[in-house]
């Protein structure tokens, strides 16, 4: 078990339920746990990884728990209905696994103060709502360095889901790392306005390749882009899970989200009536995110990737080291001393210098 992130989660869970406003209750014979998924467990990406953690809960706790998972739940009214459905059905711990569910989760949580909610990538908390996410931008720093070395055309294609801070920070981390190796590198972005839409993702990958990109990245959840890259002799990075079987000739590496240690710790806390609200933001050091094996690249690029990963873990490499300028040349205030602080990354709403595309709506 990855002790570091589990320990971090347990620190967040320390204390009594009464301290958070969640009513103390007798230890249940069986804890009903609900999951709301933005996509399908067959996406082999984001939702797949969350469901692997759900399965780990069942394996670890056996008949002490009962789980229910709702797939392909859209944002807004659909999410609110699904989350409330789980609350009415007696689930006392509910994992809302998308940023898009934030408003709905907060709204339902206020109706069910005795239910504990876990909101993935969310930024709003309540006494009975905790948030958790991974520092995915750390993995993008590694990928940016690899892409700059592996791209023959000097063009990275990026499939964007939505222009939210998490995605913007990922794109920025990619560009900052890539420009250190190739100052002339370019990133071209196609927004698909979806987290999971294999058809749109495939079309976006094709469009980017047609525009001159030879390395594909994504913030979307399916393996469609990886498959397109593999078919067209391009290179690509996996998203949320190891997608090597979809792109044996294309995959360079990928960010793998490992939710299992956190989920086990939070269920354990709920069973012991020791669950409390809090925020967890784990990265490579905590092993909440991992890098898939470095493949389809020369040994010197593997060495660069491994050294970058090690530097992020030991703190010698900071993905958002200052000075940083936005795409219009304005220097960004450096609130973390020699790097942007967490609040700046969590609220990032600008593109860095070198990115020509504009953030939609700005």
């Amino acid at each position: 078990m990855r002790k570091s992130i589990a320990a971090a989660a347990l620190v967040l869970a320390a204390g009594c339920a009464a301290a958070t406003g969640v009513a103390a209750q007798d230890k249940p014979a069986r804890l009903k746990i609900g999951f709301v998924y933005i996509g399908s467990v067959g996406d082999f990406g984001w939702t797949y990884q969350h469901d692997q953690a759900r399965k780990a809960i069942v394996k670890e706790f056996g008949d002490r728990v009962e789980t229910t998972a709702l797939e392909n739940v859209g944002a807004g009214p659909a999410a609110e209905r699904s989350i409330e459905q789980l609350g009415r059905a007696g689930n006392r711990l509910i994992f809302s696994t998308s940023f898009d569910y934030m408003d709905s989760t907060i709204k339902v949580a206020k109706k069910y103060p005795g239910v504990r909610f876990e909101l993935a990538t969310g930024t709003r908390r309540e006494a009975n709502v905790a948030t958790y996410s991974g520092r995915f931008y750390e993995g993008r720093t590694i990928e940016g360095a690899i892409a700059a070395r592996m791209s023959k055309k000097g063009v990275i294609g990026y499939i964007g889901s939505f222009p939210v801070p998490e995605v913007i920070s990922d794109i920025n981390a990619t560009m900052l790392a890539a420009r250190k190796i190739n100052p002339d590198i370019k990133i071209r972005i196609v927004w698909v306005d979806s987290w999971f839409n294999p058809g749109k993702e495939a079309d976006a990958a094709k469009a980017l390749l047609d525009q001159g990109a030879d390395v594909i990245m994504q913030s979307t959840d399916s393996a469609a882009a990886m498959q397109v890259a593999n078919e067209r002799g391009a290179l690509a990075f996996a998203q949320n899970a190891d997608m090597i079987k979809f792109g044996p000739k294309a995959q360079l590496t990928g960010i793998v989200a490992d939710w299992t240690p956190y989920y086990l710790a939070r269920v354990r806390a709920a069973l012991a009536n020791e669950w409390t609200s809090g925020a967890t933001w784990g990265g490579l050091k905590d092993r909440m995110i991992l890098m898939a094996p470095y493949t389809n690249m020369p040994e010197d690029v593997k060495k660069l990737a491994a050294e970058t990963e090690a530097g992020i873990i030991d703190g010698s490499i900071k993905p958002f080291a200052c000075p940083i300028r936005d795409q219009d040349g304005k220097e960004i205030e450096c609130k973390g001393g020699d790097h942007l602080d967490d609040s700046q990354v969590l609220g990032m709403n600008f593109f860095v210098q070198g990115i020509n595309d504009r953030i939609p709506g700005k």
Side-chain angles (χ1 to χ4, degrees):
M1 195 63 60
R2 295 180 173 86
K3 295 181 180 178
S4 56
I5 186 62
L10 286 173
V11 167
L12 284 173
C16 65
T20 68
V22 177
Q25 49 189 293
D26 293 335
K27 184 176 179 180
R30 176 176 292 182
L31 176 66
K32 296 184 71 173
I33 309 169
F35 298 81
V36 188
Y37 296 152
I38 195 75
S40 164
V41 296
D43 67 5
F44 295 102
W46 177 262
T47 295
Y48 173 81
Q49 287 298 109
H50 283 283
D51 202 57
Q52 290 298 107
R54 182 195 64 78
K55 290 178 179 178
I57 289 171
V58 174
K59 181 177 180 180
E60 176 78 11
F61 297 103
D63 60 6
R64 297 179 67 195
V65 300
E66 177 184 336
T67 68
T68 301
L70 305 179
E71 301 180 50
N72 297 309
V73 177
E80 185 177 336
R81 285 194 299 271
S82 295
I83 296 167
E84 185 151 9
Q85 173 187 332
L86 291 171
R88 288 199 309 269
N91 290 277
R92 289 297 172 260
L93 180 62
I94 297 174
F95 289 86
S96 295
T97 64
S98 175
F99 179 88
D100 288 356
Y101 297 157
M102 182 157 55
D103 291 345
S104 297
T105 300
I106 296 297
K107 186 174 181 179
V108 176
K110 291 178 179 179
K111 296 181 182 179
Y112 294 86
V115 177
R116 288 80 176 241
F117 295 83
E118 296 278 348
L119 177 59
T121 70
T123 56
R124 293 171 59 193
R125 284 171 294 281
E126 295 287 341
N128 60 333
V129 181
T131 58
Y132 64 101
S133 188
R135 295 177 182 266
F136 303 114
Y137 66 86
E138 294 182 346
R140 299 298 184 191
T141 298
I142 300 168
E143 292 179 349
I146 294 170
R149 289 288 295 273
M150 294 300 295
S151 175
K152 295 178 181 178
K153 298 180 179 180
V155 181
I156 301 168
Y158 199 104
I159 302 169
S161 50
F162 297 97
V164 296
E166 176 190 326
V167 176
I168 293 169
S169 66
D170 281 0
I171 296 171
N172 284 341
T174 300
M175 181 53 117
L176 290 170
R179 288 191 84 197
K180 289 179 181 177
I181 293 170
N182 178 0
D184 297 321
I185 197 80
K186 293 179 174 58
I187 289 182
R188 291 185 176 141
I189 307 167
V190 171
W191 298 96
V192 296
D193 298 320
S194 174
W195 293 108
F196 178 71
N197 187 318
K200 279 189 174 183
E201 294 169 53
D203 288 344
K206 292 172 185 175
L208 289 165
L209 294 173
D210 290 343
Q211 292 171 25
D214 57 358
V215 179
I216 298 294
M217 303 175 70
Q218 65 188 73
S219 60
T220 49
D221 296 342
S222 84
M226 179 66 70
Q227 291 172 307
V228 169
N230 198 67
E231 291 165 1
R232 294 188 47 173
L235 298 170
F237 293 99
Q239 174 72 356
N240 294 310
D242 191 342
M243 297 176 173
I244 191 69
K245 65 181 179 181
F246 299 102
K249 296 180 294 183
Q251 181 170 302
L252 295 165
T253 183
I255 300 167
V256 178
D258 185 3
W259 306 115
T260 295
Y262 178 80
Y263 278 25
L264 294 179
R266 300 302 271 167
V267 170
R268 193 172 292 115
L271 285 167
N273 284 320
E274 295 175 350
W275 187 99
T276 59
S277 177
T280 296
W281 200 19
L284 290 166
K285 183 177 181 179
D286 310 296
R287 298 187 65 80
M288 194 173 226
I289 65 168
L290 314 170
M291 299 305 294
Y294 299 120
T295 57
N296 294 312
M297 65 184 75
E299 288 303 317
D300 62 325
V301 182
K302 286 184 181 180
K303 184 173 183 290
L304 169 66
E307 289 174 348
T308 304
E309 182 177 356
I312 293 171
I313 291 171
D314 68 24
S316 61
I317 294 177
K318 293 180 171 60
F320 292 111
C322 295
I324 292 176
R325 295 184 180 276
D326 69 16
Q327 62 186 157
D328 296 321
K330 178 184 176 183
E331 186 167 339
I332 303 300
E333 180 184 2
C334 200
K335 295 182 179 179
D338 62 349
H339 62 282
L340 302 187
D341 71 8
D342 283 355
S343 69
Q344 291 178 287
V345 180
L346 288 167
M348 194 166 281
N349 63 352
F350 64 90
F351 277 148
V352 297
Q353 202 164 42
I355 298 176
N356 294 323
D357 292 62
R358 293 285 171 174
I359 296 173
K362 290 199 67 178

